[in-house]
Amino acid sequence: MREYENLVNGDMVSLIKKGEKDGAETIWDRMEKMKTQCGFGVKGLCCRNCAMGPCRISPVAGKGADKGLCGATADVIVSRNFARMVAAGTAAHSDHARGIIHLLHKAEPNGDYIIKNSEKLKKLAEQWDIDTKCKDIYEIGRQVSETALNNFGKPFGEITLPKTVPNVRKDLWRKEKIMPRAIDREVVSIMHATHIGCMADANEMLKMSLRTAISDGWSGSYMGTFISDILFDTPKATKTESNLAVLEKDQVNIVLHGHEPSLSEMIVLAVSDPELIAKAKELGAQGINLVGMCCTGNELSMRHGTKNGGNFLQQELAVITGAVEAVIVDVQCIFPSLAELSKKYHTKFITTSPCARIEGSDYIEFDENIAYESAKKIVLSAIENYKNRNKENVYIPDNKTSFMVGYSVETIVEHLDKVAQENEKGTLMPLIKAITGGSIRGIAALVGCNNPRIKQDYNHIQIAQKLIENNVLVIATGCSATALAKAGLANKEASKFAGNKLKGICEALDIPPVLHMGSCVDISRILQLAGETANLLNVDISALPLAGSAPEWMSEKAVAIGMYVIASGIDAWLGVIPQVTGSDKVVSFLTNEVEEITGSKFFVETDPINTANQIIERIDMKRSRLGI
Ligand code: XCC
Ligand code: SF4
């Protein structure tokens, strides 16, 4: 009998057991079958970059091959493999952004996509020297969109960075030759450099990875978030609920999973369509219950207060409840296993993106040109499936938690205004004062995924608890934010778990001690917060008592994030050991030498309490360096 308790958070155990009874396979079954992982792969020592290979380097010195056929050493192979992860992660985030930017180009006053935040649009236009006077807002939108798209394949010069990047940081990037030129170009450069017979210098390969990652964080993701706010409006603080118990027994349950707001924003509209609600009722349901999952869940709760079903490791469990009419997905972090799993139940697994077609799913392509129509068609197909639900085999767990969400930088500033002096209103000054005055010891960003090699959510929760107890404000995105929301740490009552100083600030500002800042692409909001704070204090980001951690990461996107975080001057703690330990040189660069370049580095620590303690130690060190 398997020890389920070591795999997932408490109330999910009953669902895994139900799945077992129903003959459904989950990620934990597959993990068991996978047995021991490949010893070469774990260390990053396997190369298949050409057909003379695969070549694998023996992890034991003096025993077996110490070079690939072409002569590539462990350092070369490990660094190339790592760089390709950064390229893939950057590509994923930035292609998502590209989609959003195309939408801005398509937006029309009477269209499915409209510009909801014209102030934010004008702000960006002005930053980019686009004339905003006497011009139609949609015309400005198109020009902003074209300028934004230019950052993907800009033929000459540097990428356009937001003003929030401190000038000292830009100079440092130029000096170190890691200033990105264009997003696509950096991704392509890595693919080129990792081709056989190119880059064979681990440190240079990693510096190239830093450059690519910067283009992800400060351009791709940054524009993705910014332009999502222009189209769908900037999130405001709102209260909602999390965990699978948000599924409703007597309603059509739709789980919306993936990443891109282009689809989710239309589905949100479609589920409130009177025609569709009537249809659901006609089929005996009390209504339509839309539930978000993973980053789409975060996007939806940020802007609409939509309930969040859970994070990465809950996607299969949602289906196992037997209560889900459809899992609608677009791109990224979607288990292909959902195709087979959904067939064990009545659930429809609806894929919508040409970029993520999954065999065995129902493919209903989402067409942005007739977005609302497309969304309605998808939702209708979910509704029609309600009649197929086997009511005898439905089990929805009880536990759900309310939480606060929607902390864009703008919303944080609004809360700070509560305590701001007249001349500080509308700025981050009160936050800076709280930090310099010591009521906030520092800020730690908890981000990233779940990974079945770690008990679901465990690291996220342990680290956050320890940090807030020690007066470190936690900001969170992605599956980490969902983990903390489920654990009850992202609601205002949670300030009782915070140290006295942080508790005082939370009460004064009327905020929780853990601020949910959105999806993973929204880590750009964290960069914005860091950059603006540094600019106000007239220091570089690396001087700030700031830290980041991805304690249960798994995706290539997380690798790109880790790299842009350290390129920005923020230390990053990883709770899962990256596949680089086959090269001492790579390990040493990432956890040591890189600090001389960027002022920050990676820490790899699998124990969450040690992680929190190390974060506090580094925060204190930065405080003392700042003389606060
Ligand atoms: Fe995916 Fe974004 Fe990771 Fe969650 S945190 S598992 S990347 S959904 Ni982004
Ligand atoms: Fe082997 Fe070199 Fe080809 Fe990689 S690039 S598979 S190390 S010969």
Side-chain angles (χ1 to χ4, degrees), residues 258-259 294-295 312 332-333 448-450 478-480 520 554-555 557-558:
H259 281 81
C294 283
C295 278
F312 185 61
Q332 299 169 22
C333 303
C449 328
N450 287 140
C479 289
S480 181
C520 291
M554 62 86 202
S555 71
K557 290 180 286 174

Side-chain angles (χ1 to χ4, degrees), residues 566-615:
I566 61 166
S568 303
I570 304 168
D571 292 325
W573 276 259
L574 301 177
V576 176
I577 302 170
Q579 295 143 352
V580 295
T581 53
S583 162
D584 292 342
K585 198 165 189 179
V586 171
V587 171
S588 159
F589 181 91
L590 294 174
T591 59
N592 194 8
E593 280 117 78
V594 69
E595 193 177 6
E596 284 158 34
I597 302 175
T598 69
S600 58
K601 59 181 180 179
F602 279 112
F603 293 76
V604 179
E605 175 55 66
T606 53
D607 180 86
I609 297 300
N610 289 347
T611 300
N613 286 332
Q614 290 166 13
I615 289 176

Side-chain angles (χ1 to χ4, degrees), residues 47-55 67-72 77 80 196-197:
C47 180
R48 319 189 274 97
N49 290 13
C50 87
M52 297 190 283
C55 299
K67 287 186 197 76
L69 261 60
C70 64
I77 291 175
R80 284 196 307 213
I196 179 181

Side-chain angles (χ1 to χ4, degrees), residues 169 435 534 537-546 568-570 598-600 618-619 621-628:
R169 184 71 15 197
I435 295 173
L537 272 171
N538 211 5
V539 296
D540 195 357
I541 296 174
S542 55
L544 301 173
L546 263 186
S568 303
I570 304 168
T598 69
S600 58
R618 286 283 282 195
I619 280 177
M621 183 198 89
K622 300 229 165 162
R623 290 187 68 91
S624 75
R625 276 193 198 158
L626 272 176
I628 55 176

Side-chain angles (χ1 to χ4, degrees), residues 56-114:
R56 41 185 219 182
I57 307 295
S58 165
V60 189
K63 220 177 146 203
D66 62 348
K67 287 186 197 76
L69 261 60
C70 64
T73 59
D75 298 335
V76 170
I77 291 175
V78 169
S79 64
R80 284 196 307 213
N81 288 342
F82 185 80
R84 284 198 170 190
M85 291 185 90
V86 174
T90 301
H93 279 148
S94 299
D95 215 27
H96 162 159
R98 188 193 330 255
I100 300 294
I101 299 167
H102 274 137
L103 280 191
L104 177 60
H105 209 271
K106 272 199 183 108
E108 279 172 346
N110 300 314
D112 287 344
Y113 296 103
I114 56 168

